[in-house]
Amino acid sequence: MDSKKGEQKPPSGPEAAGSSGTTTGRKTFISGVVEGFYGRPWTMEQRKELFRKQQKWGLNTYLYAPKDDYKHRMFWREMYSPEEAEQLMALITAAKEHDVDFIYALSPGLDITFSNPREVATLKRKLDQVSRFGCRSFALLFDDIDADMCPADRKVFSSSADAQVSLTNEIFQHLGEPETFMICPTDYCGRFCSPSVSESPYLRTVGEKLHPRIDVLWTGPKVVSNNIPVESIEEVSRVLKRAPVIWDNIHANDYDQKRLFLGPYKGRSTDLIPKLKGVLTNPNCEFEPNFVAIHTLATWCKSHVNGVRKDIVMAEGDNSGMSTQGKGEEDNSDEEQEMDELYSPRQALKLALAEWLEEFGAPHQYATPEEPMDTDREGAAEPRAPEAPQDVVTPMQTDEQAGWEPYAPGPQDRPLYTAEALTLDDLTLMADLFYLPYEHGPRAVRMLQELHWVRTNAGVLSHRGKETEKAAEWRSRMEEFVEMYEAVNKMFTRVCNSANRSIVYDLYPYILEIKSITSVAKQFVEWLGSHTESSAQFLSGDQEPFSFKGGLTGEFQRMLPNDAAHDLFRQPPSCQTYSVRPYFTKDEPAVREICRETHSEGGASRACPPHPQTMEDRLMGVPLGFGPDYGFVLEDENGVCGYALGMIHAEAFLTKDEKSQARSASEKTPKPSSGKEVSGAQGAMPSDCVKGEEGEGRNLPKTFLGRFPSLIKAQIHPKVVDTAAPRSMMGCLLTSLKDGGSHGAFCAVRQTDTRLLDLYSKLGGFEEVKLEAAQKDVVILGKSL
């Protein structure tokens, strides 16, 4: 394959078909694209552009199966209107002109009654209509449907597989046993087969009863298969009694449209090619970003031509795919061949990106010979409009036609904006940021690693005095992460300035989001300074990729201190701006003042004593042995207006040195007029807290403290009406406790303090925990971290 524009000769005939894969019996290896995703279908012009690319790259098949084309699936019984028929005929003709086999698929499984002759006749009538459009290849799809049969079908068929196979065989014969005919079974991947692939009654029925010339579509071990082992294909082939056609969802993004996949075709050994009937990729919903997915599939297919394996390498200074066979040793590459020595996904990606780069610089309108863009060609029959007088500027004149001199800024003027050209490095970075469902590209991984390291090692900056070697390393790696962000920002700007707006519009929402979240991450690492200590959460387990959302964006969000990452630093409400920052000892007077004011607002039975030994006092004290990352304050333009404080090990804290605390509290707390002594524990805690050694530590069961080991205290001044900022503050505290090793936190609130109850429950997600030992006027709230 020569990927340079203008140098590729369109393949034709049997040899060209063979160039996209091996010849397997009656027909060539099926290779191409299935438009089978959920979401807005591609336009007719996009499909014609796809056919042109498929011919150029040697892919021979297109399967028409857009889930949201309502006459393909939901209203499959309806015939096409004359206008729709004309479009489909034009599309089928365009596919033939580019040597692409157009497969029309119908998905009747949502509501068909298999045993009803009228239903079968309706299906035949619909496919007969498409056959008259010139289509010669067909497929019936029974994926993503309820496998339970209706009562009428249960009287006729032994199973849903029996019903589907019976109908498929009848339609196949009705259409004259076309050369290409496919079925997508309901159990289309290994995960859906019960109890296993080899013992699946459903697959056994398909294998035994389906006509041997009908191909079966299969997605691999999973719906979205990270890898498709050769052994898994051999197993399913034995059960189906035929080699399957892979419907490959490795680049599909319809299950999570915050993700886009620009990585190479990967996780499929070239040893699979002779064991398959074909491979069709079901790519991203957006048309333009599928350049890489389709191009790299074509490269993969070329690694095994007519049973002869070939290397696909990248020659220095050339974008061509070349075979190492028949070449001199000087053409061999020493590049890393990854897991498959005959196909390198990374090199295939370079081939695709190098060719894609050319398209970014060329405006693209999907113009076709039938719809020319130039309506003023020489010899056109339409008369020209009379020329306007030279002194009159017509509305559609260009500056050059009007004789208008281009603007040239003077020495004191602002210079003209010059757009930087998009580079191959920019596209490589973008591909790494939007790689594949189960992995990120190398540069994206590097960004995550650096953010993880900077976050988890931020504590080294808390040392006073001379900066340590570890602190210097931290600052260096923080700057490295900032530089990585700058590269993302430059990529975003250059892509947005590209001439091909069709590509830009498809990419824009994705690159904007990744640019925005990396910007927040950059601000976060700069904000970390010497205040916090963090950890990361990474992908793990053997889940399908749709078990979690967000891809790389989601990982960045999970590594930031709260779910609402954009509210982390400043959240502008309608009339006030707030900020969240770590608590410092200088904030003690302001925190005490909020404590007093909110106790008064909440209707406390007594005023706070002049020097109350409250939990806040004990959290603020230097001898407690913990850093300010367990405390956060909320500020407005007038100062501190809220706080969230926490102790990670509540049991030790609440029972520590009880006698000394009691003596201290007794000295500082005036005796009541009744003359009765006030216990140290009672003086040490306000009325909204569970008591300590003589109440708190004793009354909280060990099981409770094992579940909720951390104690927190939060309060917001009544003047704060915005909820986003307090939620951010609470999120920062809870994340700090979690990163410190806690798996749960609790707090105590007076039953009458509804405002504080709302703060904990609505903004922090706390729920009431019933404890028999708790004071009757106190509500205990807990939250797992």
Side-chain angles (χ1 to χ4, degrees):
M1 177 190 70
D2 190 340
S3 60
K4 291 185 177 179
K5 286 188 175 180
E7 297 181 13
Q8 173 88 15
K9 293 183 178 180
S12 60
E15 293 181 1
S19 69
S20 63
T22 64
T23 299
T24 55
R26 59 184 172 86
K27 56 186 176 182
T28 58
F29 184 82
I30 296 169
S31 61
V33 178
V34 50
E35 184 182 348
F37 50 80
Y38 291 87
R40 175 179 293 179
W42 295 333
T43 67
M44 290 297 175
E45 288 309 314
Q46 286 174 330
R47 291 162 181 155
K48 292 175 184 178
E49 175 66 16
L50 172 65
F51 301 157
R52 287 189 282 271
K53 284 185 168 66
Q54 286 191 249
Q55 183 182 43
K56 180 180 180 180
W57 299 334
L59 298 173
N60 56 34
T61 303
Y62 166 76
L63 176 59
Y64 177 87
K67 292 292 191 293
D68 288 336
D69 177 346
Y70 69 97
K71 288 190 177 180
H72 157 77
R73 184 174 173 88
M74 187 176 297
F75 300 106
W76 61 269
R77 297 175 181 85
E78 294 187 15
M79 305 291 281
Y80 288 106
S81 67
E83 295 78 11
E84 294 167 335
E86 184 178 354
Q87 284 188 317
L88 264 179
M89 283 190 284
L91 196 62
I92 293 168
T93 300
K96 291 180 179 178
E97 290 173 351
H98 293 89
D99 299 320
V100 173
D101 185 17
F102 184 99
I103 305 175
Y104 177 84
L106 206 59
S107 185
L110 286 175
D111 58 1
I112 189 172
T113 300
F114 293 90
S115 59
N116 189 324
R118 183 171 180 176
E119 290 277 78
V120 178
T122 299
L123 182 58
K124 292 177 180 179
R125 179 169 172 260
K126 178 68 170 284
L127 295 177
D128 283 341
Q129 183 192 33
V130 178
S131 179
R132 290 193 293 272
F133 298 162
C135 183
R136 297 293 177 263
S137 300
F138 299 90
L140 290 179
L141 310 183
F142 299 104
D143 57 320
D144 302 339
I145 63 173
D146 187 354
D148 292 338
M149 293 188 293
C150 64
D153 286 343
R154 283 198 293 268
K155 294 179 181 178
V156 178
F157 301 107
S158 60
S159 65
S160 61
D162 186 26
Q164 294 169 12
V165 167
S166 176
L167 176 66
T168 302
N169 287 339
E170 184 172 349
I171 297 298
F172 177 66
Q173 292 168 356
H174 171 79
L175 293 172
E177 299 189 359
E179 182 178 356
T180 301
F181 195 94
M182 299 180 180
I183 178 177
C184 181
T186 303
D187 293 356
Y188 55 81
C189 69
R191 175 157 286 184
F192 289 174
C193 297
S194 179
S196 65
V197 171
S198 60
E199 299 178 1
S200 166
Y202 180 96
L203 290 188
R204 285 184 178 178
T205 299
V206 172
E208 293 170 359
K209 296 187 176 182
L210 187 67
H211 193 287
R213 286 187 51 208
I214 298 177
D215 295 325
V216 178
L217 293 160
W218 182 254
T219 67
K222 298 181 181 180
V223 177
V224 182
S225 296
N226 186 24
N227 295 286
I228 301 181
V230 173
E231 297 76 16
S232 71
I233 295 302
E234 292 174 339
E235 179 184 30
V236 73
S237 296
R238 286 192 295 269
V239 180
L240 294 175
K241 302 185 185 303
R242 72 204 74 204
V245 175
I246 295 297
W247 172 312
D248 210 324
N249 288 320
I250 191 63
H251 286 96
N253 72 334
D254 56 352
Y255 56 85
D256 184 2
Q257 290 214 276
K258 283 185 175 291
R259 305 187 70 180
L260 187 73
F261 301 117
L262 304 178
Y265 193 68
K266 189 178 181 184
R268 289 95 173 103
S269 167
T270 54
D271 291 336
L272 281 172
I273 294 176
K275 298 181 181 296
L276 294 172
K277 192 66 66 69
V279 175
L280 299 173
T281 181
N282 180 36
N284 299 283
C285 297
E286 297 78 7
F287 176 75
E288 294 290 351
N290 289 319
F291 192 102
V292 172
I294 301 170
H295 192 288
T296 55
L297 172 64
T299 302
W300 181 83
C301 290
K302 287 177 182 293
S303 65
H304 200 301
V305 178
N306 292 325
V308 180
R309 306 176 84 185
K310 291 187 176 183
D311 276 325
I312 299 298
V313 299
M314 193 176 207
E316 187 174 351
D318 187 10
N319 293 335
S320 302
M322 303 175 300
S323 169
T324 58
Q325 297 187 7
K327 299 274 186 180
E329 291 184 3
E330 67 274 7
D331 291 326
N332 290 333
S333 171
D334 293 331
E335 67 184 0
E336 181 185 1
Q337 294 297 312
E338 295 174 316
M339 296 303 294
D340 191 328
E341 63 178 6
L342 301 179
Y343 169 77
S344 168
R346 201 66 187 172
Q347 293 303 326
L349 177 63
K350 291 180 181 179
L351 284 173
L353 294 178
E355 187 172 340
W356 198 22
L357 180 62
E358 299 177 20
E359 297 206 354
F360 277 84
H364 193 54
Q365 300 294 334
Y366 300 119
T368 65
E370 296 77 17
E371 300 171 338
M373 296 298 292
D374 185 2
T375 59
D376 192 27
R377 300 189 304 273
E378 183 178 354
E382 294 81 358
R384 292 173 181 266
E387 294 185 3
Q390 292 184 357
D391 58 344
V392 178
V393 178
T394 61
M396 297 304 292
Q397 275 187 315
T398 64
D399 287 345
E400 184 177 357
Q401 291 170 334
W404 189 265
E405 293 292 331
Y407 172 73
Q412 303 301 318
D413 295 333
R414 186 185 297 274
L416 294 177
Y417 176 79
T418 303
E420 295 182 354
L422 187 68
T423 67
L424 182 59
D425 186 66
D426 291 326
L427 288 189
T428 304
L429 172 59
M430 183 172 66
D432 281 353
L433 295 174
F434 301 96
Y435 208 61
L436 291 171
Y438 293 92
E439 63 178 310
H440 307 306
R443 293 171 73 174
V445 171
R446 180 64 177 162
M447 288 189 75
L448 289 171
Q449 289 173 339
E450 287 306 299
L451 180 59
H452 176 222
W453 190 93
V454 167
R455 177 181 162 170
T456 55
N457 290 277
V460 301
L461 300 179
S462 61
H463 298 288
R464 301 284 184 250
K466 184 178 179 180
E467 188 173 77
T468 64
E469 181 178 345
K470 195 72 173 177
E473 180 187 4
W474 189 95
R475 297 190 187 282
S476 174
R477 295 183 70 164
M478 185 271 286
E479 290 298 329
E480 185 176 349
F481 182 83
V482 172
E483 290 176 4
M484 292 177 180
Y485 160 74
E486 295 298 340
V488 173
N489 190 42
K490 288 181 179 179
M491 176 273 293
F492 171 81
T493 303
R494 290 168 179 168
V495 170
C496 290
N497 289 334
S498 297
N500 193 323
R501 308 313 290 171
S502 296
I503 300 178
V504 174
Y505 296 150
D506 277 355
L507 291 174
Y508 182 79
Y510 298 99
I511 60 176
L512 173 64
E513 185 169 22
I514 199 67
K515 191 263 292 189
S516 300
I517 193 63
T518 53
S519 173
V520 175
K522 177 185 78 78
Q523 296 175 58
F524 173 55
V525 299
E526 291 175 336
W527 170 82
L528 276 172
S530 61
H531 305 305
T532 190
E533 176 181 325
S534 309
S535 63
Q537 299 176 18
F538 288 99
L539 303 176
S540 62
D542 188 38
Q543 305 91 346
E544 292 274 4
F546 44 71
S547 300
F548 43 83
K549 300 288 185 181
L552 183 62
T553 299
E555 290 206 32
F556 275 115
Q557 289 175 335
R558 285 188 290 273
M559 292 177 72
L560 297 178
N562 61 305
D563 293 333
H566 295 285
D567 298 335
L568 175 59
F569 304 102
R570 291 193 180 273
Q571 170 65 33
S574 57
C575 59
Q576 184 60 274
T577 299
Y578 299 93
S579 63
V580 177
R581 64 168 174 80
Y583 162 79
F584 297 102
T585 54
K586 67 180 182 180
D587 300 316
E588 179 179 348
V591 168
R592 288 192 177 187
E593 184 61 28
I594 294 174
C595 174
R596 289 188 179 92
E597 292 188 23
T598 52
H599 272 76
S600 176
E601 290 283 340
S605 59
R606 60 177 176 83
C608 290
H611 300 286
Q613 279 296 302
T614 63
M615 188 184 76
E616 288 87 345
D617 292 310
R618 298 166 71 182
L619 285 171
M620 294 170 192
V622 176
L624 291 177
F626 67 94
D629 53 322
Y630 292 94
F632 293 87
V633 295
L634 183 69
E635 277 189 319
D636 61 13
E637 60 185 8
N638 297 317
V640 175
C641 54
Y643 62 89
L645 308 170
M647 168 55 68
I648 193 167
H649 298 299
E651 183 176 10
F653 171 64
L654 296 174
T655 58
K656 179 182 178 182
D657 197 9
E658 182 67 26
K659 291 183 180 180
S660 63
Q661 292 177 31
R663 285 196 301 269
S664 176
S666 177
E667 293 171 359
K668 295 180 180 180
T669 304
K671 295 182 180 181
S673 57
S674 64
K676 293 183 179 180
E677 294 288 339
V678 179
S679 72
Q682 290 172 332
M685 301 299 291
S687 60
D688 63 341
C689 292
V690 183
K691 298 178 181 179
E693 177 66 23
E694 296 181 8
E696 202 163 27
R698 181 186 62 197
N699 291 344
L700 294 178
K702 292 283 187 180
T703 54
F704 174 84
L705 291 173
R707 182 181 174 191
F708 305 107
S710 300
L711 175 65
I712 73 167
K713 177 72 175 179
Q715 190 56 271
I716 304 296
H717 195 281
K719 67 180 181 180
V720 178
V721 295
D722 180 40
T723 59
R727 181 183 292 110
S728 295
M729 179 182 66
M730 185 72 77
C732 289
L733 174 64
L734 297 177
T735 301
S736 295
L737 291 171
K738 180 179 180 180
D739 293 339
S742 177
H743 53 266
F746 75 95
C747 57
V749 185
R750 293 193 305 270
Q751 288 182 341
T752 56
D753 196 342
T754 57
R755 188 171 178 276
L756 193 56
L757 286 170
D758 285 343
L759 171 67
Y760 284 122
S761 60
K762 294 182 179 179
L763 302 185
F766 283 77
E767 297 179 353
E768 183 176 358
V769 180
K770 297 294 185 180
L771 288 178
E772 293 182 0
Q775 296 172 212
K776 293 182 178 180
D777 62 339
V778 171
V779 178
I780 304 297
L781 302 174
K783 177 181 175 64
S784 298
L785 302 178

